[in-house]
């Protein structure tokens, strides 16, 4: 197991936990505190024990939570015109690669996906939207990072009679996307959409045929090596 991968998981897990707790609390209190400037906004969250005092005094953090809470609270979907343009820009699902259709089988029907979920503050703007099949869009739900996936419960062994667990594939796809966007493999940072379009489909190819069981981080490291 790669020690760096495990440390990254622990850091991501803690970061996501804090971010989601703070943002959900801010959404809950939106009607009460949305009008407040960032410093007082943070103090109100800290007063209710939703954030630590150190985070409450971080103006940039409070501004970010305030912005994402507003977007999540309003939950404005993409306009019909923008959704149409996003769907027409891509022929296949960015996750699984299936050819998208307008009125075909439900699983291949074209939908608009928020790369950073709307419920977690992802805006309905072109740079955050991408075409996905209905099946992948539904199953990804609010996943924003590979650490969201079945890390501890994974015990993978190749079985030619069935596909790998979809949540495992989504988790590894998020890892692939984050790696590409953060310049770990290319040396150049990019937006999530730029990265997704560059390397889609994101689902990993489980080309493992030796029959040996693997835990999550073994799959994670093998995927990283494969690029």
């Amino acid at each position: 197991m790669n020690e760096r991968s495990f440390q990254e998981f622990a850091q991501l897990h803690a970061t996501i936990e804090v971010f989601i707790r703070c943002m959900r609390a801010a959404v809950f209190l939106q009607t009460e505190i949305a009008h407040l400037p960032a410093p007082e906004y943070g103090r109100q969250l800290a007063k209710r024990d939703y954030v630590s005092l150190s985070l409450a005094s971080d103006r940039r953090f409070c501004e970010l939570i305030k912005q994402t809470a507003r977007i999540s609270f309003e939950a404005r979907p993409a306009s019909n015109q923008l959704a149409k343009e996003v769907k027409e820009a891509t022929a296949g699902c960015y996750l699984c690669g299936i050819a998208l259709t307008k009125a075909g089988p439900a699983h291949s029907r074209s939908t608009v996906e928020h790369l950073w979920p709307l419920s977690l503050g992802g805006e309905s703007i072109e740079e955050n939207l991408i075409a996905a099949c209905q099946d992948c869009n539904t199953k990804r739900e609010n996943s924003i990072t590979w650490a969201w996936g079945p890390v501890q419960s994974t015990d993978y062994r190749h079985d030619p009679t069935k596909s790998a667990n979809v949540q495992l594939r989504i988790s590894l796809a998020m890892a692939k996307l984050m790696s590409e966007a953060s310049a770990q493999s290319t040396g150049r940072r990019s937006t999530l959409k730029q990265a997704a379009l560059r390397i889609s489909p994101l689902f990993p190819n489980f080309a493992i045929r030796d029959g040996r069981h693997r835990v999550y981080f073994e799959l994670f490291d093998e995927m990283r090596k494969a690029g």
Side-chain angles (χ1 to χ4, degrees):
M1 180 184 297
N2 186 309
E3 183 179 351
R4 187 183 73 128
S5 298
F6 187 79
Q7 291 175 340
E8 185 179 337
F9 164 71
Q11 184 177 22
L12 273 172
H13 185 77
T15 301
I16 292 167
E17 184 80 17
V18 171
F19 169 73
I20 292 179
R21 174 177 175 168
C22 294
M23 202 213 68
R24 295 295 194 213
V27 171
F28 178 70
L29 297 171
Q30 182 71 2
T31 56
E32 296 180 39
I33 66 175
H35 65 286
L36 299 174
E40 182 58 27
Y41 190 92
R43 280 192 287 272
Q44 288 299 317
L45 289 174
K47 183 179 178 181
R48 294 166 169 82
D49 293 327
Y50 290 130
V51 300
S52 66
L53 290 175
S54 60
L55 282 177
S57 62
D58 186 326
R59 186 183 185 92
R60 180 70 189 102
F61 176 81
C62 292
E63 288 174 345
L64 176 63
I65 291 297
K66 184 176 180 178
Q67 177 187 0
T68 54
R70 175 187 58 78
I71 295 169
S72 178
F73 182 80
E74 295 175 351
R76 295 178 181 174
S79 66
N80 291 336
Q81 180 58 36
L82 180 55
K84 181 175 181 291
E85 293 172 1
V86 169
K87 289 177 183 179
E88 291 177 346
T90 311
C93 174
Y94 82 106
L95 280 172
C96 70
I98 193 172
L100 298 172
T101 63
K102 290 183 179 180
H107 70 275
S108 65
R109 203 162 295 161
S110 183
T111 66
V112 174
E113 169 94 298
H114 287 74
L115 286 163
W116 188 269
L118 178 63
S119 65
L120 297 178
E123 294 186 276
S124 297
I125 57 176
E126 183 178 1
E127 197 56 40
N128 191 44
L129 301 174
I130 196 167
C133 70
Q134 184 171 303
D135 196 41
C136 286
N137 195 336
T138 301
K139 289 176 179 174
R140 183 193 162 192
E141 297 182 317
N142 294 318
S143 177
I144 53 176
T145 169
W146 60 268
W148 196 290
V151 176
Q152 293 181 308
S153 62
T154 293
D155 181 17
Y156 176 80
R157 181 174 182 272
H158 174 66
D159 183 342
T161 66
K162 59 183 180 181
S163 299
N165 176 278
V166 68
Q167 294 306 320
L168 173 60
R169 286 185 290 160
I170 289 173
S171 175
L172 291 172
M174 291 298 100
K176 190 175 178 182
L177 177 61
M178 291 171 66
S179 176
E180 182 70 16
S182 63
Q184 291 181 13
S185 59
T186 63
R188 52 174 181 163
R189 288 183 177 275
S190 58
T191 66
L192 290 176
K193 184 165 184 176
Q194 289 170 338
L197 292 175
R198 194 158 56 235
I199 61 173
S200 64
L202 297 181
F203 274 177
N205 177 21
F206 285 90
I208 301 170
R209 301 289 184 269
D210 59 14
R212 183 171 69 83
H213 286 262
R214 284 169 170 79
V215 297
Y216 184 91
F217 286 110
E218 290 178 297
L219 296 172
F220 186 91
D221 291 336
E222 287 181 21
M223 184 205 66
R224 274 185 162 170
K225 290 175 185 176

